[in-house]
Structure formats: structure tokens, C-alpha cells
Coordinates of all heavy atoms in Angstrom, one line a residue:
M1 N 0.9 -1.2 0.0 CA 0.0 0.0 0.0 C 0.9 1.2 0.0 O 1.9 1.3 0.7 CB -0.9 0.0 1.2 CG -1.9 1.0 1.3 SD -3.0 0.7 2.7 CE -4.3 1.7 2.2
D2 N 0.6 2.2 -0.8 CA 1.4 3.4 -0.9 C 0.5 4.6 -0.4 O -0.1 5.3 -1.1 CB 1.8 3.8 -2.3 CG 2.9 2.9 -2.8 OD1 3.7 2.5 -1.9 OD2 3.1 2.7 -3.9
G3 N 0.4 4.7 1.0 CA -0.4 5.8 1.6 C 0.4 6.6 2.5 O 1.4 6.1 3.1
I4 N 0.0 7.7 2.7 CA 0.7 8.6 3.7 C 0.6 8.0 5.1 O -0.5 7.6 5.5 CB 0.0 10.0 3.7 CG1 0.2 10.7 2.4 CG2 0.6 10.9 4.8 CD1 -0.5 12.0 2.2
G5 N 1.7 7.8 5.7 CA 1.8 7.3 7.1 C 2.0 5.8 7.1 O 2.1 5.2 8.2
D6 N 2.1 5.1 6.0 CA 2.2 3.6 6.1 C 3.7 3.2 5.9 O 4.0 2.1 5.9 CB 1.4 2.9 5.0 CG 1.8 3.1 3.6 OD1 2.8 3.8 3.4 OD2 1.1 2.6 2.7
G7 N 4.6 4.2 5.8 CA 6.0 3.9 5.8 C 6.5 3.6 4.4 O 7.7 3.6 4.2
T8 N 5.7 3.5 3.4 CA 6.2 3.3 2.0 C 5.8 4.4 1.1 O 6.1 4.3 -0.1 CB 5.6 1.9 1.4 OG1 4.1 2.1 1.4 CG2 5.9 0.7 2.3
F9 N 5.2 5.4 1.6 CA 4.8 6.6 0.8 C 6.1 7.3 0.3 O 6.8 7.8 1.2 CB 3.9 7.5 1.6 CG 3.4 8.6 0.7 CD1 2.4 8.4 -0.2 CD2 3.8 9.9 1.0 CE1 1.9 9.5 -1.0 CE2 3.4 11.0 0.2 CZ 2.4 10.8 -0.8
D10 N 6.3 7.5 -1.0 CA 7.5 8.2 -1.5 C 7.1 9.4 -2.2 O 8.0 10.1 -2.7 CB 8.3 7.2 -2.4 CG 7.5 6.8 -3.6 OD1 6.4 7.3 -3.9 OD2 8.1 5.9 -4.3
G11 N 5.9 9.8 -2.3 CA 5.4 11.0 -2.9 C 5.2 10.9 -4.4 O 4.6 11.8 -5.0
E12 N 5.6 9.9 -5.1 CA 5.4 9.7 -6.5 C 3.9 9.6 -6.9 O 3.6 10.0 -8.0 CB 6.2 8.6 -7.1 CG 7.7 8.8 -7.1 CD 8.5 7.7 -7.7 OE1 7.9 6.9 -8.6 OE2 9.6 7.5 -7.3
D13 N 3.2 9.0 -6.0 CA 1.8 8.7 -6.3 C 0.9 9.8 -5.8 O -0.3 9.7 -5.8 CB 1.3 7.4 -5.7 CG 2.0 6.2 -6.4 OD1 2.2 6.3 -7.6 OD2 2.2 5.2 -5.7
L14 N 1.5 10.9 -5.3 CA 0.7 12.0 -4.8 C -0.1 12.7 -5.8 O 0.4 13.2 -6.8 CB 1.7 13.0 -4.1 CG 1.1 14.2 -3.4 CD1 0.2 13.8 -2.2 CD2 2.1 15.2 -2.9
D15 N -1.4 12.8 -5.6 CA -2.3 13.5 -6.5 C -2.8 14.8 -5.8 O -3.6 14.8 -4.9 CB -3.5 12.6 -6.8 CG -4.5 13.2 -7.7 OD1 -4.2 14.3 -8.2 OD2 -5.5 12.5 -8.1
L16 N -2.1 15.9 -6.2 CA -2.4 17.2 -5.5 C -3.9 17.6 -5.7 O -4.5 18.1 -4.8 CB -1.5 18.2 -6.1 CG 0.0 18.1 -5.7 CD1 0.8 19.2 -6.3 CD2 0.1 18.1 -4.2
D17 N -4.5 17.2 -6.9 CA -5.9 17.5 -7.1 C -6.8 16.9 -6.0 O -7.8 17.3 -5.7 CB -6.3 17.2 -8.5 CG -5.8 18.1 -9.5 OD1 -5.5 19.3 -9.2 OD2 -5.7 17.7 -10.7
A18 N -6.4 15.7 -5.6 CA -7.2 14.9 -4.6 C -7.1 15.6 -3.3 O -7.9 15.3 -2.4 CB -6.7 13.5 -4.6
L19 N -6.1 16.4 -3.0 CA -5.9 17.0 -1.7 C -6.5 18.4 -1.6 O -6.7 18.9 -0.5 CB -4.5 17.1 -1.4 CG -3.7 15.7 -1.2 CD1 -2.3 16.0 -1.0 CD2 -4.3 14.9 -0.1
L20 N -6.9 19.0 -2.7 CA -7.4 20.4 -2.7 C -8.9 20.4 -2.7 O -9.5 19.7 -3.5 CB -6.9 21.1 -4.0 CG -5.4 21.3 -4.2 CD1 -5.1 21.9 -5.5 CD2 -4.8 22.1 -3.0
W21 N -9.4 21.0 -1.7 CA -10.9 21.1 -1.6 C -11.3 22.6 -1.8 O -10.6 23.5 -1.3 CB -11.3 20.7 -0.2 CG -11.2 19.3 0.1 CD1 -10.2 18.4 -0.3 CD2 -12.2 18.4 0.7 NE1 -10.5 17.2 0.1 CE2 -11.6 17.1 0.7 CE3 -13.4 18.7 1.4 CZ2 -12.3 16.1 1.3 CZ3 -14.0 17.6 1.9 CH2 -13.5 16.3 1.9
V22 N -12.3 22.8 -2.7 CA -12.7 24.1 -3.0 C -14.0 24.4 -2.2 O -14.9 23.6 -2.2 CB -13.0 24.2 -4.5 CG1 -13.5 25.6 -4.9 CG2 -11.8 23.9 -5.3
R23 N -14.0 25.6 -1.5 CA -15.2 25.9 -0.7 C -16.4 26.0 -1.7 O -16.3 26.6 -2.7 CB -14.9 27.3 -0.1 CG -16.0 27.7 0.8 CD -15.7 29.1 1.4 NE -14.3 29.2 2.0 CZ -14.1 29.1 3.3 NH1 -15.1 28.9 4.2 NH2 -12.8 29.1 3.7
G24 N -17.5 25.5 -1.2 CA -18.7 25.5 -1.9 C -19.0 24.3 -2.9 O -20.0 24.2 -3.4
V25 N -18.0 23.5 -3.1 CA -18.1 22.3 -3.9 C -18.6 21.2 -3.1 O -18.1 20.8 -2.1 CB -16.8 21.9 -4.7 CG1 -17.0 20.7 -5.5 CG2 -16.4 23.1 -5.6
D26 N -19.7 20.5 -3.6 CA -20.3 19.4 -2.9 C -19.6 18.1 -3.3 O -20.1 17.4 -4.2 CB -21.8 19.3 -3.2 CG -22.5 18.3 -2.4 OD1 -21.9 17.6 -1.6 OD2 -23.7 18.0 -2.8
Y27 N -18.5 17.8 -2.6 CA -17.8 16.6 -2.9 C -18.5 15.3 -2.4 O -18.4 14.2 -2.9 CB -16.4 16.6 -2.3 CG -15.5 17.7 -2.8 CD1 -15.3 18.9 -2.2 CD2 -14.9 17.5 -4.1 CE1 -14.5 19.9 -2.7 CE2 -14.1 18.5 -4.6 CZ -13.9 19.7 -3.9 OH -13.1 20.7 -4.5
L28 N -19.3 15.5 -1.3 CA -19.9 14.3 -0.7 C -21.0 13.7 -1.6 O -21.0 12.5 -1.8 CB -20.6 14.7 0.7 CG -21.1 13.6 1.5 CD1 -20.1 12.5 1.8 CD2 -21.7 14.1 2.8
T29 N -21.7 14.5 -2.3 CA -22.8 14.0 -3.2 C -22.0 13.2 -4.4 O -22.4 12.1 -4.7 CB -23.6 15.0 -3.8 OG1 -24.4 15.7 -2.7 CG2 -24.6 14.6 -4.8
G30 N -21.0 13.8 -4.9 CA -20.2 13.1 -6.0 C -19.6 11.8 -5.5 O -19.6 10.7 -6.2
W31 N -19.1 11.8 -4.3 CA -18.5 10.6 -3.7 C -19.6 9.5 -3.5 O -19.3 8.3 -3.8 CB -17.8 10.9 -2.4 CG -17.2 9.7 -1.7 CD1 -16.0 9.1 -2.0 CD2 -17.8 8.9 -0.7 NE1 -15.9 8.0 -1.2 CE2 -16.9 7.9 -0.4 CE3 -19.0 9.1 0.0 CZ2 -17.2 6.9 0.6 CZ3 -19.3 8.1 1.0 CH2 -18.4 7.1 1.3
R32 N -20.7 9.9 -3.0 CA -21.8 8.9 -2.8 C -22.2 8.3 -4.1 O -22.4 7.1 -4.2 CB -23.0 9.6 -2.1 CG -22.8 9.9 -0.7 CD -24.1 10.5 -0.1 NE -23.9 10.8 1.3 CZ -24.4 11.8 1.9 NH1 -25.2 12.6 1.3 NH2 -24.2 12.0 3.2
D33 N -22.3 9.2 -5.1 CA -22.7 8.7 -6.5 C -21.6 7.7 -7.0 O -21.9 6.6 -7.5 CB -22.8 9.8 -7.4 CG -23.3 9.4 -8.8 OD1 -24.2 8.5 -8.9 OD2 -22.8 10.0 -9.8
A34 N -20.4 8.0 -6.8 CA -19.3 7.2 -7.3 C -19.3 5.8 -6.5 O -19.0 4.8 -7.0 CB -17.9 7.9 -7.1
T35 N -19.6 5.9 -5.2 CA -19.6 4.7 -4.4 C -20.7 3.7 -4.9 O -20.5 2.6 -5.0 CB -19.9 5.0 -2.9 OG1 -18.8 5.9 -2.4 CG2 -20.0 3.8 -2.0
Q36 N -21.9 4.3 -5.2 CA -23.0 3.5 -5.8 C -22.6 2.9 -7.1 O -22.9 1.8 -7.4 CB -24.2 4.3 -5.8 CG -25.5 3.6 -6.4 CD -25.9 2.4 -5.5 OE1 -25.8 2.5 -4.3 NE2 -26.3 1.3 -6.1
A37 N -22.0 3.7 -8.0 CA -21.6 3.3 -9.3 C -20.5 2.2 -9.2 O -20.6 1.2 -10.0 CB -21.0 4.5 -10.1
A38 N -19.6 2.3 -8.3 CA -18.6 1.2 -8.1 C -19.3 -0.1 -7.6 O -18.9 -1.2 -8.1 CB -17.6 1.7 -7.0
A39 N -20.2 0.0 -6.8 CA -21.0 -1.2 -6.3 C -21.7 -1.8 -7.5 O -21.7 -3.0 -7.6 CB -21.9 -0.8 -5.2
E40 N -22.4 -1.0 -8.3 CA -23.1 -1.5 -9.5 C -22.2 -2.2 -10.4 O -22.5 -3.2 -11.0 CB -23.9 -0.4 -10.2 CG -25.0 0.2 -9.4 CD -25.7 1.4 -10.0 OE1 -25.5 1.6 -11.3 OE2 -26.3 2.2 -9.3
L41 N -21.0 -1.5 -10.7 CA -20.0 -2.1 -11.6 C -19.5 -3.5 -11.0 O -19.4 -4.5 -11.8 CB -18.9 -1.2 -11.8 CG -17.7 -1.7 -12.7 CD1 -18.3 -2.1 -14.1 CD2 -16.7 -0.6 -12.9
S42 N -19.2 -3.5 -9.8 CA -18.8 -4.8 -9.2 C -19.8 -5.9 -9.3 O -19.5 -7.0 -9.6 CB -18.5 -4.5 -7.7 OG -18.1 -5.7 -7.0
D43 N -21.1 -5.5 -9.0 CA -22.1 -6.5 -9.2 C -22.3 -7.0 -10.6 O -22.5 -8.2 -10.9 CB -23.5 -5.9 -8.7 CG -23.5 -5.7 -7.2 OD1 -22.7 -6.2 -6.5 OD2 -24.5 -5.0 -6.8
A44 N -22.2 -6.0 -11.6 CA -22.3 -6.4 -13.0 C -21.1 -7.3 -13.4 O -21.4 -8.3 -14.2 CB -22.3 -5.1 -13.9
L45 N -19.9 -7.0 -13.0 CA -18.8 -7.9 -13.3 C -19.0 -9.3 -12.8 O -18.7 -10.3 -13.5 CB -17.5 -7.2 -12.8 CG -17.0 -6.0 -13.5 CD1 -15.8 -5.4 -12.7 CD2 -16.6 -6.2 -14.9
T46 N -19.4 -9.3 -11.5 CA -19.6 -10.6 -10.9 C -20.7 -11.4 -11.7 O -20.6 -12.6 -11.9 CB -20.0 -10.5 -9.4 OG1 -19.0 -9.8 -8.8 CG2 -20.3 -11.8 -8.8
A47 N -21.8 -10.7 -12.0 CA -22.9 -11.4 -12.7 C -22.5 -11.9 -14.1 O -23.0 -12.9 -14.6 CB -24.1 -10.4 -12.9
A48 N -21.5 -11.2 -14.7 CA -21.0 -11.6 -16.0 C -20.0 -12.7 -15.9 O -19.4 -13.1 -17.0 CB -20.4 -10.4 -16.7
G49 N -19.7 -13.1 -14.7 CA -18.7 -14.2 -14.6 C -17.3 -13.8 -14.5 O -16.4 -14.6 -14.6
V50 N -17.0 -12.5 -14.3 CA -15.7 -12.0 -14.2 C -15.1 -12.2 -12.8 O -15.8 -11.9 -11.8 CB -15.6 -10.5 -14.5 CG1 -14.2 -9.9 -14.3 CG2 -16.1 -10.3 -16.0
N51 N -14.0 -12.9 -12.7 CA -13.3 -13.0 -11.3 C -12.8 -11.7 -10.9 O -11.9 -11.2 -11.5 CB -12.2 -14.1 -11.4 CG -11.6 -14.3 -10.1 OD1 -11.8 -13.7 -9.1 ND2 -10.6 -15.3 -10.1
T52 N -13.4 -11.1 -9.9 CA -13.0 -9.8 -9.4 C -11.9 -9.8 -8.3 O -11.6 -8.8 -7.8 CB -14.2 -9.0 -8.9 OG1 -14.8 -9.8 -7.9 CG2 -15.2 -8.8 -10.0
T53 N -11.3 -11.0 -8.1 CA -10.2 -11.0 -7.2 C -9.0 -10.1 -7.7 O -8.7 -10.2 -8.9 CB -9.6 -12.5 -7.0 OG1 -10.7 -13.3 -6.6 CG2 -8.5 -12.6 -6.0
G54 N -8.6 -9.3 -6.8 CA -7.5 -8.3 -7.2 C -8.0 -7.1 -7.9 O -7.2 -6.2 -8.3
T55 N -9.3 -7.0 -8.1 CA -9.9 -5.8 -8.7 C -10.1 -4.8 -7.7 O -10.5 -5.1 -6.5 CB -11.3 -6.1 -9.4 OG1 -11.1 -7.1 -10.4 CG2 -11.9 -4.9 -9.9
N56 N -9.7 -3.5 -7.9 CA -9.9 -2.4 -7.0 C -10.7 -1.3 -7.7 O -10.4 -0.8 -8.7 CB -8.5 -1.8 -6.6 CG -8.6 -0.8 -5.6 OD1 -9.7 -0.6 -4.9 ND2 -7.6 0.0 -5.5
L57 N -12.0 -1.1 -7.1 CA -12.8 -0.1 -7.6 C -12.9 1.0 -6.5 O -13.4 0.7 -5.4 CB -14.3 -0.7 -7.8 CG -14.3 -1.8 -8.8 CD1 -15.7 -2.3 -8.9 CD2 -13.9 -1.3 -10.2
R58 N -12.4 2.1 -6.7 CA -12.3 3.2 -5.7 C -13.1 4.4 -6.1 O -13.0 5.0 -7.1 CB -10.8 3.6 -5.5 CG -10.6 4.5 -4.4 CD -9.1 4.7 -4.1 NE -8.4 5.1 -5.3 CZ -7.9 6.3 -5.5 NH1 -8.2 7.3 -4.6 NH2 -7.2 6.7 -6.6
A59 N -14.0 4.7 -5.2 CA -14.8 5.9 -5.3 C -14.1 7.2 -4.9 O -13.5 7.2 -3.9 CB -16.2 5.7 -4.6
T60 N -14.2 8.2 -5.7 CA -13.5 9.5 -5.4 C -14.3 10.6 -6.1 O -15.4 10.3 -6.7 CB -12.0 9.4 -5.8 OG1 -11.4 10.7 -5.3 CG2 -11.8 9.3 -7.3
T61 N -13.8 11.8 -6.1 CA -14.5 12.9 -6.8 C -13.5 13.6 -7.7 O -12.2 13.6 -7.4 CB -15.1 13.9 -5.9 OG1 -14.1 14.5 -5.0 CG2 -16.2 13.3 -5.1
D62 N -14.0 14.2 -8.7 CA -13.2 15.1 -9.5 C -13.1 16.5 -8.8 O -13.7 16.7 -7.8 CB -13.8 15.2 -10.9 CG -12.8 15.7 -12.0 OD1 -11.7 16.1 -11.7 OD2 -13.2 15.6 -13.1
T63 N -12.2 17.4 -9.3 CA -12.0 18.7 -8.7 C -13.3 19.5 -8.7 O -13.5 20.3 -7.8 CB -10.9 19.4 -9.4 OG1 -11.3 19.5 -10.8 CG2 -9.6 18.8 -9.3
N64 N -14.3 19.2 -9.6 CA -15.5 19.9 -9.6 C -16.6 19.2 -8.7 O -17.8 19.7 -8.7 CB -16.0 20.2 -11.0 CG -16.4 18.8 -11.7 OD1 -16.3 17.8 -11.1 ND2 -16.8 19.0 -12.9
G65 N -16.3 18.1 -8.0 CA -17.2 17.4 -7.2 C -17.9 16.3 -7.8 O -18.7 15.6 -7.2
S66 N -17.7 16.1 -9.1 CA -18.3 15.0 -9.8 C -17.8 13.6 -9.4 O -16.6 13.5 -9.1 CB -18.1 15.1 -11.3 OG -18.7 16.2 -11.9
G67 N -18.7 12.7 -9.2 CA -18.2 11.3 -8.8 C -17.3 10.7 -9.9 O -17.6 10.8 -11.1
V68 N -16.3 10.0 -9.4 CA -15.4 9.3 -10.3 C -15.1 7.9 -9.7 O -14.9 7.8 -8.4 CB -14.0 10.1 -10.4 CG1 -13.0 9.3 -11.2 CG2 -14.2 11.4 -11.0
V69 N -15.1 6.9 -10.5 CA -14.7 5.5 -10.1 C -13.4 5.2 -10.7 O -13.2 5.2 -11.9 CB -15.8 4.5 -10.4 CG1 -15.3 3.1 -10.0 CG2 -17.1 4.9 -9.8
R70 N -12.4 4.9 -9.9 CA -11.1 4.6 -10.4 C -11.0 3.0 -10.4 O -11.4 2.4 -9.4 CB -10.0 5.1 -9.5 CG -10.1 6.7 -9.4 CD -8.7 7.3 -9.4 NE -8.8 8.7 -9.2 CZ -9.0 9.6 -10.1 NH1 -9.1 9.3 -11.4 NH2 -9.0 10.9 -9.9
V71 N -10.7 2.5 -11.5 CA -10.7 1.0 -11.7 C -9.3 0.5 -11.9 O -8.6 0.9 -12.8 CB -11.6 0.7 -12.9 CG1 -11.6 -0.9 -13.1 CG2 -13.0 1.2 -12.7
E72 N -8.9 -0.5 -11.1 CA -7.7 -1.3 -11.3 C -8.0 -2.7 -11.5 O -8.7 -3.3 -10.7 CB -6.8 -1.1 -10.0 CG -6.2 0.3 -9.8 CD -5.4 0.4 -8.6 OE1 -4.9 -0.6 -8.1 OE2 -5.2 1.5 -8.2
L73 N -7.6 -3.3 -12.6 CA -7.9 -4.6 -13.0 C -6.5 -5.4 -13.3 O -5.6 -4.8 -13.8 CB -8.7 -4.7 -14.2 CG -10.1 -4.0 -14.2 CD1 -10.7 -4.1 -15.6 CD2 -11.0 -4.7 -13.2
A74 N -6.5 -6.7 -12.9 CA -5.4 -7.5 -13.4 C -5.5 -7.6 -14.9 O -6.6 -7.4 -15.5 CB -5.5 -8.9 -12.8
A75 N -4.4 -7.8 -15.5 CA -4.4 -7.8 -17.0 C -5.3 -8.8 -17.6 O -6.0 -8.6 -18.6 CB -3.0 -8.0 -17.5
T76 N -5.4 -10.0 -17.0 CA -6.3 -11.1 -17.4 C -7.7 -10.6 -17.2 O -8.6 -10.9 -18.1 CB -6.1 -12.4 -16.7 OG1 -6.1 -12.2 -15.3 CG2 -4.7 -13.0 -17.1
T77 N -8.0 -10.0 -16.2 CA -9.4 -9.5 -15.9 C -9.8 -8.4 -17.0 O -10.9 -8.4 -17.5 CB -9.6 -8.9 -14.5 OG1 -9.2 -10.0 -13.6 CG2 -11.0 -8.5 -14.2
A78 N -8.8 -7.5 -17.2 CA -9.1 -6.5 -18.2 C -9.3 -7.0 -19.6 O -10.2 -6.6 -20.3 CB -7.9 -5.5 -18.3
R79 N -8.6 -8.1 -20.0 CA -8.9 -8.7 -21.3 C -10.2 -9.4 -21.3 O -10.9 -9.3 -22.3 CB -7.8 -9.8 -21.5 CG -6.5 -9.1 -21.9 CD -5.4 -10.2 -22.3 NE -4.2 -9.5 -22.5 CZ -3.2 -9.4 -21.7 NH1 -3.3 -10.0 -20.5 NH2 -2.1 -8.8 -22.0
K80 N -10.7 -10.0 -20.2 CA -12.0 -10.6 -20.2 C -13.1 -9.5 -20.3 O -14.1 -9.7 -21.0 CB -12.2 -11.4 -18.9 CG -13.5 -12.2 -18.9 CD -13.5 -13.3 -17.8 CE -14.9 -14.0 -18.0 NZ -14.9 -15.2 -17.1
V81 N -12.9 -8.4 -19.5 CA -13.9 -7.3 -19.6 C -13.9 -6.8 -21.1 O -15.0 -6.5 -21.6 CB -13.6 -6.2 -18.6 CG1 -14.4 -5.0 -18.8 CG2 -13.8 -6.8 -17.2
A82 N -12.8 -6.6 -21.7 CA -12.7 -6.1 -23.1 C -13.4 -7.1 -24.0 O -14.2 -6.7 -24.9 CB -11.3 -6.0 -23.5
L83 N -13.3 -8.4 -23.8 CA -13.9 -9.4 -24.7 C -15.5 -9.3 -24.4 O -16.2 -9.3 -25.4 CB -13.4 -10.8 -24.3 CG -14.1 -11.9 -25.0 CD1 -13.9 -11.8 -26.5 CD2 -13.7 -13.3 -24.5
L84 N -15.9 -9.2 -23.2 CA -17.3 -9.0 -22.9 C -17.9 -7.8 -23.6 O -19.0 -7.8 -24.2 CB -17.6 -9.0 -21.4 CG -17.4 -10.3 -20.7 CD1 -17.4 -10.0 -19.2 CD2 -18.5 -11.3 -21.0
A85 N -17.2 -6.7 -23.6 CA -17.6 -5.5 -24.2 C -17.7 -5.6 -25.7 O -18.7 -5.2 -26.3 CB -16.7 -4.3 -23.8
R86 N -16.7 -6.2 -26.3 CA -16.8 -6.5 -27.8 C -17.9 -7.4 -28.2 O -18.6 -7.1 -29.2 CB -15.5 -7.1 -28.2 CG -14.3 -6.0 -28.4 CD -13.2 -6.6 -29.2 NE -12.5 -7.7 -28.5 CZ -11.5 -7.5 -27.6 NH1 -11.1 -6.3 -27.2 NH2 -11.0 -8.5 -27.0
V87 N -18.1 -8.4 -27.4 CA -19.3 -9.4 -27.7 C -20.6 -8.7 -27.6 O -21.5 -8.8 -28.4 CB -19.2 -10.6 -26.8 CG1 -20.5 -11.4 -26.9 CG2 -18.0 -11.5 -27.2
T88 N -20.7 -7.9 -26.5 CA -22.0 -7.1 -26.3 C -22.2 -6.1 -27.4 O -23.3 -6.0 -27.9 CB -22.0 -6.4 -24.9 OG1 -21.8 -7.5 -23.9 CG2 -23.3 -5.7 -24.7
A89 N -21.2 -5.4 -27.8 CA -21.3 -4.4 -28.8 C -21.7 -5.1 -30.2 O -22.6 -4.6 -30.9 CB -20.0 -3.7 -29.1
A90 N -21.1 -6.2 -30.5 CA -21.5 -7.0 -31.7 C -23.0 -7.4 -31.7 O -23.6 -7.3 -32.7 CB -20.6 -8.2 -31.9
R91 N -23.4 -7.8 -30.5 CA -24.8 -8.2 -30.4 C -25.8 -7.0 -30.6 O -26.8 -7.2 -31.2 CB -25.1 -8.9 -29.0 CG -24.5 -10.3 -28.9 CD -24.8 -10.9 -27.6 NE -24.2 -12.2 -27.5 CZ -24.0 -12.9 -26.4 NH1 -24.4 -12.3 -25.2 NH2 -23.4 -14.0 -26.4
W92 N -25.4 -5.9 -30.1 CA -26.2 -4.7 -30.2 C -26.3 -4.3 -31.7 O -27.3 -3.9 -32.2 CB -25.7 -3.5 -29.4 CG -26.0 -3.6 -27.9 CD1 -26.8 -4.5 -27.3 CD2 -25.4 -2.8 -26.9 NE1 -26.8 -4.3 -25.9 CE2 -26.0 -3.2 -25.7 CE3 -24.5 -1.8 -26.9 CZ2 -25.7 -2.7 -24.5 CZ3 -24.2 -1.2 -25.6 CH2 -24.7 -1.6 -24.5
H93 N -25.1 -4.4 -32.4 CA -25.1 -4.0 -33.8 C -25.9 -5.0 -34.6 O -26.6 -4.6 -35.6 CB -23.7 -3.9 -34.3 CG -22.9 -2.8 -33.8 ND1 -23.2 -1.5 -34.0 CD2 -21.8 -2.8 -33.0 CE1 -22.4 -0.7 -33.4 NE2 -21.5 -1.5 -32.8
Q94 N -26.0 -6.2 -34.3 CA -26.7 -7.2 -35.0 C -28.2 -7.0 -34.7 O -29.0 -7.2 -35.7 CB -26.4 -8.7 -34.5 CG -25.0 -9.1 -35.1 CD -24.6 -10.4 -34.5 OE1 -25.3 -11.0 -33.7 NE2 -23.5 -10.9 -35.0
A95 N -28.6 -6.7 -33.5 CA -30.0 -6.5 -33.1 C -30.6 -5.2 -33.8 O -31.8 -5.1 -34.0 CB -30.2 -6.5 -31.6
G96 N -29.7 -4.2 -33.9 CA -30.2 -2.9 -34.4 C -30.1 -2.7 -35.8 O -30.7 -2.3 -36.7

């Protein structure tokens, strides 16, 4: 883990935008939205048969307060998600 205070933080992963809060921006609403979206994505991946071991879905906000979900996938998981997206897109094109 590379976090402040865990002894391995070297500053390279420091995201200054994540530390700046602007008065009047509703970050909490964006974070709640991102938390819900991350849960929905996790459920959808599981329902599609994707092994989510090692997957990290992190809810955060953008500088303007919009919800953001940061996704970290193992390479094999990313390839499976890409395949699922291609198959789904092909089915949509055939149906439409």
C-alpha cells in the first residue's frame, strides 16, 4: 500500500488535485454517487462471470465534485472485460 503514514509513501503517487478542496463544492454527493456506481459495476462484473479477485474499484471525486470511479484490474481481468464489451457491442449491432 502506498499511503501517507504507512512507511512506504514516497510522494510519486501524490495526487495534488485529490488534496485540494474548494469551498462551496459538494464533494460528498459526488463521492456517494461514485460509491454507488462502483458497487453497481462490481455486481455487474460478478454477474458476467468475471473473477474480481484483485480488482480495485475506488470511489472518489473530480475537482468539480463529480463522482469518479477509479478502476484497477489485473491484465487477465481487463482482457476478459474487453472481450465481454466487444461481444456485447457486436450483439447490439446485430439487433439494431
Side-chain angles (χ1 to χ4, degrees):
M1 184 171 201
D2 284 331
I4 296 173
D6 69 4
T8 62
F9 183 74
D10 62 9
E12 289 183 28
D13 295 326
L14 181 62
D15 182 0
L16 292 178
D17 287 334
L19 297 176
L20 299 175
W21 289 41
V22 177
R23 185 181 309 261
V25 175
D26 183 8
Y27 295 101
L28 188 56
T29 298
W31 177 81
R32 284 181 184 147
D33 184 41
T35 299
Q36 181 63 38
E40 290 174 21
L41 179 57
S42 178
D43 290 347
L45 290 172
T46 300
V50 175
N51 180 358
T52 58
T53 303
T55 298
N56 185 19
L57 303 174
R58 187 170 54 104
T60 186
T61 60
D62 202 348
T63 54
N64 66 1
S66 299
V68 174
V69 177
R70 303 217 186 272
V71 179
E72 292 180 17
L73 304 170
T76 55
T77 303
R79 287 185 183 98
K80 185 165 186 176
V81 170
L83 176 63
L84 287 169
R86 282 193 293 275
V87 167
T88 301
R91 287 181 182 163
W92 283 349
H93 290 296
Q94 289 175 354

